[in-house]
Structures are given as C-alpha cells and as structure tokens.
Amino acid sequence: MADPAASATAPAQPQRQWTFVIDLRRCDGCGKCTLACQQEHHLPKSFEWIKVFRLQDETGRESYMPRPCMQCENAPCLRVCPVGATFKEPDGVILVDQGRCIGCRMCMAACPYGARYFNYDDPPAYNNPFGKATPEFPVPQQKGTVGKCMFCVHRTESGNPRLPACVEACTMGALYVGDLDQDIAVNGPGETVRLMPFVRENDGFRYKEELGTSPRVYYIAGHGQDLEY
Amino acid sequence: MPDRSDREQMVRAALRPVGRGGWRYWSIVVALAALVAWGLYAYSYQLRHGLGVTGLNQKVSWGFYILNCVFFIGISYGGAMTSAILRLTHARWRAPITRLAEATAVAALLVGAAYPLIDLGRPDRMLNLLLHPHAGSPVLWDLVAVGTYLVASLVFLYLPLVPDLALMRDRLGAGTRGLVGRLYRVGSLGWTGSDHQRQALALGVGIMAVLIIPLAVSVHSVLAWLFAVTVRGGWHSTIFAPYFVLGAMLSGVGAVILVIAAFSRGYGLGDYVGPKQYRYLGYLLLALALAYTYFMISEYLTDGYVADQSSGPLIAALFTGSYAPLFWAFTIGGLIVPILLVAAPGRYVEGRAVLAALLVVAGMWLKRFLIVVPGMAEPLMPWDWGVYHPSWVEISITIGTAAAIPLMLMLFFHFVPVMSVHEMEEVESESSREPGAAVLPRRQPAG
Amino acid sequence: MFDLARRWGWTVALAAALALSALAAQAAVAAGPTPTRIQVGADPPQADGQPYVIEARIVAADGRGVNSVPLDFSIAADFFGPRQLSIGRATTDGQGRAQISYLPSWQGRHEVTVKFAGTAAFAASQGAGSFVSAVALAPHRDARSPLADFSSGLPYAVAVIVVAVWLTIAFALVGTVRGILADRAPATAPAAADLVPIPDPSEEA
C-alpha cells in the first residue's frame, strides 16, 4: 500500500480563492500572530494588520478576537478609492498599490473593520529581498500611503507555498488559511479540514454579515475553551 | 435713472476704497498676511515631515482638514446661493451686497478646495486623480463637483464685474496705466452700456444664477456622500445630502452677514447697507436655522430611538458623553440663541444679526467637528474609542486659511468696487418704474 | 421468594456469560488481533451534481467482514504541501461495508485513503483507492453588490450631465463676452467730464 500522501493529486498550481477561518474557541489572545505579521512585513508596533481584540463579558471572563483584513468580496474600500490604488486579485485578495495611493484615507473611512493602516511616518528601513516593494509584498511601506493585511500572498502564491506568517505562528491552531474552490483549510499545526463543512458544522459566521460586504474570513464562536478533537 | 448727485454719491462710495488704503487697511492686511504666512509655514512643515505632524492617527484618520473643507465650502455656498437666489427673485435690497457675497463665495471656495489637497498623504501624486480616475469614488465626485463649481463661481463673479471694470477704466484716468490698467481695459471687454451689451450681460448672468444653484447643491451633496457612503454610525444616513446643503446655506448666510458688516463699516457703505439688509438676511438665517434644527431632530430622533450598535454609542457620546459639552454648545449657542436673536422684534437689528451670524458660523464649524471626529472615533470593532487632539500644525493651517478669506477679499476690493455699481443702477432703473421702491437713498441736494 | 430466586438466577447467569466472553477476548488478545485489510471503491454519481459514493470493505484474515467498526475516509490534497483531507467517518455494517457520500471539490484524480484505527480483536489497517472525478463543486463565485450591474453604467450618465453643465458655463461666458465685444467702445479716451478723481479717504476722514 503506497502512501497516498506522497503522490498528492490535486491539480498543479490551481487558482486559489483565499479565505481565513478563525476558531475563537482556541484563541488565547497571545498575540503571536500580530508579532509574526509585524516581523514578516517589518512594521512598527502600532501597525496591527492582524489585531487581537480583547473582549470581556459580564462575568469578567476575557475572550479574544483576531481581526485580519476581511478581504471582502464586496469591498467598501475598493469602491471608494479615487485612483484605483486598491484592487482585487483573481484569488480574491485585496491589494494596495502603494506606488499609486495618494493617501486620501477614504478607504480607512469606508472600511467597517478598521483593517487599514496609514503610514503617517517613515517605515523602518528594510532591504526588500524581492528587489522593490510590490503590492504583494509592500515592504518597506511607503510613507503617506495606506497598507493592510493581504493574507501574505507573497508566501501563499509563491512557487513554494508557505502558510501566511500569522497562521504559521499560531501555535493554538486557531487560524486556518483556506481555499474556497478546493474547499480546504489548514492551520499552523497542520490540521486539515474541509472548509465549508467545517464552518457549517461549527456554526461559523462572518463578522458584520449584515453590511453585505461578504467578508472572506469566517469565525467560529467561542472564548478560548478547551476542545477535544 | 437716478439723479446725478445720488449716482455720483454711490459711485464714489463704491470706488472710494479702490487703489487706496489708509494705515488701518494696510495694518489689517499685514496682520492677515502674517497669519496666512504662518499657516503656509505650518503646511511646508507638514510637507517636509508628512502627516505624522498632525494629531491624526489610525483610528481618527480624518480631522481638521476634512471638516475645514466641508466648513469653508459651506461658507462659499451661502455666498453664491444668496447672490443667485436674490437675483432670481429680483430682491432689490440685494444690489449693494451681491458683489461681496460672490467674492466671499470664490474666496471661501478657494480655501475649501485647498483642504482635500492639504489632507493628502501624497500631495505629489495629486495628478493620479486625473491619470487613474476611478469613477466610483466619492473623492472623484468631489473633484468634479468642486472643480465645476469653482469655474462657475469665477464666471458668476466676473460677468457682473464687467460694467464695473469699464467704470474703473473710465474713472481712474491716469491710474489705468500699467498692468492693472490693462486688466481693466481687457476685462471690461469694451463695455459701453449699450442695450445690446446689457441684454447679453443680463442673459449670461441669468444663466449663471440659475446654474449656480444646482451646482452648489451638487457640491454639498457630494461632500455629504463622502461620509454617507461609508457604513459608520452617524454618517451612513439618507438625510445627509440635504442636511449638508442646509448646513452650508446656514453657515454661508452667516458668513455673508459678517462680511457685509465688516466691509460696510470699514469701507463706509453705511448709506447703502442698512437695517433692511440685516433684517432680511437675518430672516434668511432664521428660516435656515429653524430648518436645520428640524433636520437635526429628525436625525437624532430616528437614530437615537433605535440606538443600534453603530449609532447608539455615538449619540450617547454626543448627548451625555465626552462630546456633550461641544454638542450642547453648538445646539444652544449655535442654533437656539441665534434663532432667538434674529427672531426677536425690536431695535439693534444690525447688532443682533451680526452676533447671531457670528454664533452660527462658529457653531457650524463646531457641528462639522461633531460630524467628522466622533464619527471617526466611534468604535467599529469591539469597542475602542479613538482620540484626536489636533496638533499645532493643523491649528495653524486652520487659522491661516481662515485669515486668507478676508485677506483675499481686501486685496480683491483694492482693485474692484465693493458694490456692484452697474447692478445698483439697474435695480434703481427698475424701481424707478415702481415708485416707492428706491434703493439709493434720496438725499437733499447739498445746499 | 421464588420470584426473587429466579431473578438472582438470571443475574448469575449473565455474570457468568460476561466472564466467559471476557475470557474469550483475553484469549484473542493473547493470540494477537486478527489482521484486517480494506478494499476501497467509488461509484460515480447517477446524475450531475450528485455526490460520489465511496465504499470501503474491511475484511479479517478469514475473509469475513468486520462489523461495527469505524472507518475514516480521507483524500490526498496538495495544500501547502501534501495533506490528508478528512472527508468523513462511517461505521461498517454486517458485511464490513461502510460508505460515505462525497462531492468532489475539484475535477480529476482523487486518491482515497480509508483507515481503520484497530480494536482489541482486529488490527489497524488502511486501504487506498482512487477515482477520476468528472464533476466537482461549482467554483467559488464572489458575492456582488445587488446594484453592481446598474451602477456600472452610472458614471457615463453622470459624465453626460457634467459635460452639459460645462457647456452651459462656456455658453454663458463666451456668449456674454461675444455679445459685449460685438458692441464694444471705440478706442478713444474717455470724455474729460467723466473723469472724476476718486476722493481721498484721508480727506473724508
């Protein structure tokens, strides 16, 4: 019996439709995702492209909610950009062309999730290994322009795909990166699930669904409880 | 035609400030210029160091600049609307003040239109708006609407100016040499006051007066949509466009009253601008303030009654929370008190109108602050309020641009008459057919 | 009393049976669990949009099906490296058969792995099979704004209005200027009588 894993048979380099699943039952608010993102993109501390919000219920129990960019399918930020500096890739990820952005910050006003960050000051100096900053890997950030999470497409879409920095850093396995077409998602520890069945069976939801933005991030409700799998 | 001595009095009053200025004039100009220069320095500082020198942050990313843009374009709006509406309704008392209103409109618009550029993180890439326009963006709508409105306002200021430029060309005699003289000669287009020319001018001014109203409405609607197309509490509102239009008219009429009061006093126009103008403008202010109050009640009642997650915390912050002092200062000081001031019968019409206008203009600035900043600071995610403290750069630029408006007006009226002589004559000749409706004061011949 | 004794008798009999079966199981363990093997097959769907039925049969060394044991089905996928994507778990019937239905997420070859974790009596095992899927879940389509089709034409309509406004402004300006110029004054000096010097403000004050 040959090990089937050795001959994986999904089509080579398919067009992905990137998505995130965030299992709040597992998030303990450690903030490693934020830190990994900032290291990956050489961002200052105030730039929390994936930000962990701390919530507290009436009993004082804390829970946590990481918020990356939602990569909305019906993205408000995309609509309001006056120069088309914000655009959507075929893989569903919303990118910012920082070479075109004029810094009007209309997108920040429009984003219902507060996911966009403006470079008020000079970003830390950094030598981009790819030569120059691209929308896929806008590092170093350009002063006077807007930046945000782009699901680490420089990792996921490379010839040798790697997990997004935050997913890789999440030792709790709360962050899954998925592909809507192949209906698959995987987290940092390597647990692989069928995307939509996983979301459905666990009563997943999308944040602020009522706004009609159709975010590409699914949450599974919870508050850091112990889970048995 | 009015008799010669009255006309001469009027022409003299209108032309008196042109080309001259006493020490008071120049000291005011120098003081204003110093403020403008300080504002320019602040802006150059911002250009060198980026928007990091402002009090803006990741949460409150729009602040003074955007609210100033709305405020100053609103001021401009009132000038154009007053002038156009009064023209179209043939209100005779308008004649001495249309020029001031139109010039205020252009000056305030220039300042207001500069603000989106001041607010840009990358002003060096401004041209991308033309090179890579994205028609779906309200920012681009603003660019088109404000640009069109600016051109229309300039035309609307220039056309009625032609006969007065001719007057300057003819009256200033020796003074018409040099560049200014050439401007008068070229600008007056060979005006002789013939019937044909009057008809052409009346048609052009009429078209512009009709056109400027929908343009002004469009500008402020588009400015409102800049906010209303987002999903933020207090911003995402169907009432916003007319609400902004009304607010603009309110602050604009207030500004016109202030400008008229200042210039009629400073330029000795007391014979032409009197209680009648203040009373009527006061009534206009009253009607607009009442309408604005009505809109406010409609807004806060519907939002506050439901108090959903997006607008509830915002209204709580405005009514009883951290923004309450500013909110009630505006509601009482910027709306209720001015309404009482202009509604009350009795003496001191001018004083009351000017005080009300001052309160309304200051109040409307405050209201724009209360629209922009809490809307930005309000939590979108669970549940952090933003904070915003404007830096010295933003305050300096605000003061500098505010000073730029009277400065531009004073310099402008250094070269052209502060009252539209031609228009006053036209109104006078109209009213001579309707006895008892004279604009020009009837005086006893000096004896 | 008689009734009670009979009940106790039943209980004793049950206990004895349990003890016997435990002994038997212990004997089996002592002999080692019976080896098993798994055969995997897939039935193509009857109609478009229907799932595949993937069936596995687990048999013991003696060729008899192992009943009432759970089998885990997974599919090989390439997602950040080779992965086993779990597609379900089913319990075997009396013949040792278990089946799940599966709608493929992509077209093409699917390698199915079925795993049996093992019990005391039966050894763990796994089997593999494959099928080539001609059908798959419809690819993901992005949600669109309900007004997307309508609003894409709006800029053109607005552009027409904007151009009309600009033309009107141009008409008002150019028309008036031309109208005035048509009747312009001859280039003569103004009559001396009209030249009234402007009073000096200092005099007036």
Side-chain angles (χ1 to χ4, degrees), chain B residues 48-380:
Chain B
R48 269 177 288 133
H49 294 92
L51 281 177
V53 301
T54 63
L56 300 171
N57 50 61
Q58 302 298 358
K59 189 88 186 69
V60 183
S61 55
W62 279 353
F64 263 35
Y65 297 152
I66 294 293
L67 83 93
N68 282 341
C69 169
V70 177
F71 174 74
F72 285 117
I73 292 182
I75 296 279
S76 134
Y77 192 87
M81 285 292 266
T82 348
S83 167
I85 290 177
L86 297 182
R87 257 180 220 282
L88 291 175
T89 53
H90 296 281
R92 280 186 214 88
W93 55 274
R94 79 174 194 270
I97 62 171
T98 47
R99 170 71 39 77
L100 276 167
E102 285 152 18
T104 309
V106 172
L109 185 58
L110 287 171
V111 165
Y115 265 108
L117 305 180
I118 295 174
D119 186 62
L120 284 189
R122 296 298 299 248
D124 52 315
R125 296 182 184 162
M126 211 158 67
L127 280 181
N128 281 4
L129 286 166
L130 304 175
L131 299 176
H132 309 285
H134 174 229
S137 169
V139 177
L140 206 78
W141 307 345
D142 267 341
L143 185 76
V144 172
V146 173
T148 309
Y149 179 57
L150 179 61
V151 171
S153 296
L154 286 170
V155 172
F156 193 48
L157 176 67
Y158 170 67
L159 287 184
L161 199 60
V162 169
D164 286 2
L165 290 176
L167 186 73
M168 310 296 297
R169 172 198 66 195
D170 297 342
R171 284 303 185 95
L172 289 183
T176 54
R177 271 189 288 275
L179 183 65
V180 177
R182 189 177 303 152
L183 275 180
Y184 288 150
R185 267 194 300 279
V186 173
S188 59
L189 305 171
W191 175 268
T192 57
S194 73
D195 284 347
H196 184 106
Q197 288 183 329
R198 280 167 188 272
Q199 279 165 11
L201 185 70
L203 181 67
V205 172
I207 291 176
M208 290 314 296
V210 172
L211 191 63
I212 205 94
I213 294 173
L215 279 185
V217 169
S218 77
V219 167
H220 244 76
S221 302
V222 167
L223 273 178
W225 292 333
L226 198 64
F227 302 96
V229 300
T230 69
V231 297
R232 286 169 186 270
W235 285 13
H236 181 56
S237 153
T238 52
I239 206 178
F240 245 40
Y243 197 18
F244 267 50
V245 170
L246 206 61
M249 283 169 70
L250 178 59
S251 63
V253 170
V256 166
I257 293 178
L258 292 182
V259 168
I260 288 170
F263 278 82
S264 70
R265 187 139 310 186
Y267 285 39
L269 308 180
D271 287 341
Y272 307 95
V273 181
K276 185 185 241 175
Q277 275 78 15
Y278 291 111
R279 181 171 296 123
Y280 288 171
L281 284 173
Y283 288 159
L284 207 51
L285 196 73
L286 173 64
L288 291 168
L290 287 172
Y292 197 81
T293 312
Y294 163 65
F295 269 47
M296 255 180 76
I297 291 171
S298 172
E299 180 200 9
Y300 291 127
L301 180 92
T302 49
D303 263 359
Y305 197 95
V306 176
D308 62 21
Q309 213 170 46
S310 66
S311 57
L314 184 76
I315 291 184
L318 287 177
F319 279 37
T320 56
S322 51
Y323 293 101
L326 294 178
F327 177 79
W328 293 110
F330 159 70
T331 309
I332 295 168
L335 273 183
I336 296 174
V337 171
I339 285 174
L340 295 177
L341 278 174
V342 288
R347 295 192 297 165
Y348 309 117
V349 175
E350 177 181 350
R352 284 189 285 125
V354 171
L355 182 59
L358 199 63
L359 288 172
V360 159
V361 170
M364 286 312 290
W365 188 88
L366 209 55
K367 181 66 164 77
R368 268 59 177 265
F369 180 89
L370 290 170
I371 289 172
V372 174
V373 173
M376 268 283 166
E378 171 200 36
L380 290 168

Side-chain angles (χ1 to χ4, degrees), chain A residues 1-11 16-18 73-74 79 88 92 155-156 161-164 177-186 190-194 214 216, chain C residues 38 75-88 101-113 125-128 137-146:
Chain A
M1 246 181 295
D3 180 11
S7 58
T9 47
R16 302 292 190 185
Q17 292 296 333
W18 296 115
E73 294 180 359
N74 200 0
R79 287 198 291 261
K88 180 151 67 170
R155 284 169 156 243
T156 59
R162 286 183 302 153
L163 294 172
V177 61
D179 172 15
L180 284 166
D181 266 357
Q182 212 176 326
D183 207 20
I184 187 171
V186 64
E191 288 168 279
T192 311
V193 294
R194 291 182 77 193
S214 290
R216 282 249 183 129
Chain C
I38 298 175
I75 280 186
D78 184 11
F79 194 64
F80 299 101
R83 307 267 175 204
Q84 281 298 318
L85 176 61
S86 166
I87 57 172
S101 62
Y102 170 70
L103 189 58
S105 302
W106 66 89
Q107 294 184 350
R109 203 170 150 80
H110 283 66
E111 298 276 0
V112 184
T113 303
S125 64
Q126 66 176 16
L137 278 173
H140 174 78
R141 305 267 306 257
D142 271 8
R144 294 186 78 199
S145 153

Side-chain angles (χ1 to χ4, degrees), chain A residues 5 8 14 28 32 40 49 55 59 94 101 103 113 119 126-127 143-144 147 155-156 165 188-189 199 206 218 227:
Chain A
D28 66 349
K32 281 183 199 143
E40 179 76 12
W49 285 358
L55 311 166
T59 64
I94 311 268
C101 173
Y113 305 100
N119 289 282
Y126 173 67
N127 256 340
K143 185 181 179 178
R155 284 169 156 243
T156 59
V199 168
R206 297 190 292 185
Y218 292 88
L227 288 179

